[in-house]
Amino acid sequence: MASTSLALFSLLLLLLPLLASAKGGFSIELIHRDSPKSPLHDPSKTLFDRVREDARRSIARAERLRHAFSLAASGDTYQSPVIPDAAIYLMEVDVGTPTNKIFAIVDTGSDLIWTDCKPCKDCYPQEAPLFDPKKSSTYRDISCRASTCSYLPEPACSTNGSTCQYTYNYADGSHTSGNLASETFTFRAAGNRSVKIPKVTFGCSHDSQGTFDNSSAGIVGLGTGNLSLVSQLGSVIDKKFSYCFVPHTETSVSSKISFGANAVVSGRNVVSTPLLGQLETLYTVSLQSLTVDNDSIPVNSFAVIIDSGTTLTILDPTLVQSLEQKLTKIIHLPRVQDPEGTFSLCFNVSKNPKEQFPDITFLFDGAALTLSSLNTFVRYDENTVCLAIVAQDDLGVIGNIAQQNFHIGYDLDNQRLSFAPADCTKS
Ligand SMILES: *[C@@H]1O[C@H](CO)[C@@H](O)[C@H](O)[C@H]1NC(C)=O
Ligand SMILES: *[C@@H]1O[C@H](CO)[C@@H](O)[C@H](O)[C@H]1NC(C)=O
Ligand SMILES: *[C@@H]1O[C@H](CO)[C@@H](O)[C@H](O)[C@H]1NC(C)=O
Ligand SMILES: *[C@@H]1O[C@H](CO)[C@@H](O)[C@H](O)[C@H]1NC(C)=O
Ligand SMILES: *[C@@H]1O[C@H](CO)[C@@H](O)[C@H](O)[C@H]1NC(C)=O
Ligand SMILES: *[C@@H]1O[C@H](CO)[C@@H](O)[C@H](O)[C@H]1NC(C)=O
């Protein structure tokens, strides 16, 4: 008895400083897939190649988001809507004791945290060494009777009846499955401070296959569900996180994600809007109008997903059409076609390289967000600039280009999303 309480007491002493260090708030570098720090970086690609590829990935991800959105809206359970190929932002995480460094995809569009584990049958070829649970002193399988097991969309028991098993099938046939487990995760925070989080529930994948990138080894889900990192950290971070995405043309400075006290978005220019919160996993807000040059296009209260992993902004076709009509009246440049068909409004800027494109104001419930051309147009090639807002039926997504240079705070306790204009290369 005495030894049990002593053990508990020592455990508490051990945990306190760790939790305290997270409680003060912490910030982690977000590595863009195209940054030289990223394992996915390909130096042979130009900025234009990368923009076009990220745009194509947006369209593929949009298909899956739409599927997830319609299932969730009809009350059906669905699995992770996102395939890891849609990786845009990565985070370095140390898993286990001793630590095993992995690059994980940071994703506001999914919940489960997972990484590939040894042994991995049928795993996609991977460059980073796999995490070996047998070599970690802090690894524990989770029982299939544990409540955390019931949070999975399709919980299952191992054949020996003891271990919680997870399986995620992605719409394109990719899948990951393995043990639901708990482990210590260590984040390298700003100032090279280690923030150790004990007992993080994660999927230790022993079988994953499909269209995954071979140099990223897992996902950190930041969605609204119980298994996401945000929900797991809960009161330790006051259920708050924020990020600031540097413009995608900037490759020498990283973006940042913050948790807890560091995630409070404040100042004179902050605007905020309710998170609609009726869907599991996805963050949605209500879009009410778009304004170009004082001329408004009303929107019939449209729920849009705010997403880290989609690059372009995606809106209803009639809305995009009205927007394009207004823009073509204001922008007096020759139009050109995107040969790939991803973008629908492109201009030839070869004779007007310094052309100013108009601001577009997105009015969310209670929050007017004025987006400059940095957030709404991309350079397709040397002489072509395209609108980074494209049409898809039955879907609205505010993509990461639209979010650049805003400090964006998610407050899950108060169900609010806040925006403040920022220079993300400095803050
Ligand atoms: C990872 O993918 C890249 C590009 O597809 C390929 O060149 C490389 O050989 C792959 N690595 C492994 C270990 O399969
Ligand atoms: C999330 O957790 C709460 C308890 O903490 C539980 O009531 C709820 O059912 C869980 N949600 C899901 C989808 O499992
Ligand atoms: C039960 O099966 C799981 C999954 O195959 C395995 O990871 C675990 O070690 C097994 N547990 C026991 C006690 O054999
Ligand atoms: C950060 O800390 C780690 C471990 O404490 C150390 O190995 C690494 O060199 C440090 N990096 C910098 C940039 O100080
Ligand atoms: C928009 O409206 C404001 C105030 O009504 C006015 O000052 C401004 O000139 C208008 N801008 C344009 C481009 O019409
Ligand atoms: C853009 O305009 C320049 C100059 O008028 C012209 O030479 C070029 O062919 C145009 N590019 C496209 C893709 O139409």
Side-chain angles (χ1 to χ4, degrees):
M1 182 65 201
S3 72
T4 315
S5 12
L6 187 64
L8 274 178
F9 183 66
S10 333
L11 184 68
L12 198 66
L13 281 185
L14 210 70
L15 289 182
L16 270 178
L18 307 177
L19 294 179
S21 73
K23 182 112 197 156
F26 60 101
S27 301
I28 307 170
E29 189 175 17
L30 274 181
I31 301 161
H32 194 279
R33 64 172 294 134
D34 300 325
S35 123
K37 288 184 175 175
S38 155
L40 307 178
H41 177 64
D42 180 350
S44 70
K45 290 190 176 133
T46 66
L47 173 64
F48 307 132
D49 295 334
R50 302 197 303 252
V51 163
R52 292 195 293 262
E53 279 178 14
D54 289 347
R56 282 198 294 271
R57 275 189 202 98
S58 294
I59 305 297
R61 182 172 165 102
E63 284 300 318
R64 285 176 273 272
L65 282 175
R66 176 169 50 204
H67 185 63
F69 189 81
S70 66
L71 283 179
S74 67
D76 245 328
T77 55
Y78 71 93
Q79 307 203 325
S80 183
V82 181
I83 63 154
D85 183 43
I88 300 292
Y89 293 100
L90 306 172
M91 181 194 267
E92 222 183 280
V93 193
D94 288 332
V95 183
T97 316
T99 59
N100 191 90
K101 184 170 94 172
I102 63 161
F103 282 96
I105 297 158
V106 177
D107 184 16
T108 58
S110 62
D111 292 323
L112 186 69
I113 302 166
W114 65 264
T115 180
D116 277 325
C117 290
K118 264 189 191 164
C120 205
K121 81 172 155 94
D122 279 349
C123 268
Y124 57 99
Q126 195 163 292
E127 279 153 9
L130 287 186
F131 168 66
D132 187 351
K134 288 209 168 63
K135 296 215 170 109
S136 170
S137 62
T138 39
Y139 176 90
R140 300 286 179 274
D141 280 324
I142 285 177
S143 150
C144 40
R145 285 173 300 278
S147 57
T148 40
C149 188
S150 70
Y151 299 157
L152 288 169
E154 283 177 4
C157 250
S158 56
T159 43
N160 58 24
S162 59
T163 312
C164 179
Q165 304 286 116
Y166 81 95
T167 300
Y168 273 23
N169 292 306
Y170 298 93
D172 69 343
S174 310
H175 67 263
T176 164
S177 66
N179 296 12
L180 194 68
S182 97
E183 183 53 288
T184 300
F185 278 58
T186 309
F187 299 97
R188 189 142 305 285
N192 204 23
R193 183 164 69 95
S194 286
V195 178
K196 250 188 214 306
I197 315 280
K199 297 195 173 136
V200 173
T201 299
F202 78 113
C204 198
S205 173
H206 292 290
D207 179 2
S208 67
Q209 201 158 46
T211 52
F212 301 98
D213 277 309
N214 63 12
S215 355
S216 61
I219 292 195
V220 170
L222 292 177
T224 63
N226 284 348
L227 289 172
S228 79
L229 180 67
V230 187
S231 300
Q232 290 196 49
L233 290 175
S235 60
V236 172
I237 56 161
D238 295 327
K239 280 206 162 183
K240 281 186 187 66
F241 73 97
S242 71
Y243 50 67
C244 204
F245 295 154
V246 302
H248 66 279
T249 47
E250 179 65 67
T251 53
S252 61
V253 186
S254 289
S255 301
K256 206 167 67 176
I257 184 162
S258 302
F259 295 90
N262 290 29
V264 176
V265 177
S266 58
R268 208 160 44 82
N269 296 322
V270 182
V271 291
S272 80
T273 187
L275 282 166
L276 299 180
Q278 83 277 42
L279 294 181
E280 171 97 10
T281 309
L282 304 172
Y283 293 98
T284 51
V285 294
S286 168
L287 178 63
Q288 302 187 329
S289 72
L290 295 181
T291 304
V292 185
D293 261 6
N294 289 355
D295 193 0
S296 275
I297 309 164
V299 176
N300 203 355
S301 255
F302 180 43
V304 293
I305 301 166
I306 176 135
D307 188 39
S308 62
T310 310
T311 295
L312 302 180
T313 287
I314 293 163
L315 297 173
D316 184 74
T318 47
L319 189 54
V320 173
Q321 206 175 23
S322 313
L323 180 65
E324 288 182 354
Q325 278 165 3
K326 288 204 195 306
L327 290 170
T328 42
K329 275 191 203 137
I330 301 166
I331 304 165
H332 300 286
L333 291 176
R335 282 185 67 172
V336 282
Q337 292 289 321
D338 163 15
E340 291 178 20
T342 307
F343 296 98
S344 57
L345 186 64
C346 297
F347 297 98
N348 185 341
V349 294
S350 65
K351 286 194 174 146
N352 312 68
K354 298 233 147 65
E355 177 80 12
Q356 295 285 310
F357 291 89
D359 290 349
I360 303 175
T361 300
F362 280 61
L363 178 66
F364 299 107
D365 183 4
L369 210 61
T370 298
L371 301 185
S372 70
S373 59
L374 169 81
N375 300 109
T376 48
F377 288 88
V378 285
R379 219 163 244 277
Y380 184 94
D381 61 29
E382 210 65 64
N383 294 320
T384 311
V385 169
C386 298
L387 180 65
I389 301 173
V390 299
Q392 290 264 308
D393 287 319
D394 310 318
L395 186 71
V397 182
I398 306 298
N400 59 53
I401 285 184
Q403 300 175 54
Q404 293 173 156
N405 272 355
F406 281 96
H407 189 194
I408 303 185
Y410 293 69
D411 179 345
L412 274 65
D413 272 341
N414 297 307
Q415 284 291 301
R416 289 197 83 76
L417 188 69
S418 301
F419 303 86
D423 178 348
C424 297
T425 63
K426 298 211 170 74
S427 59

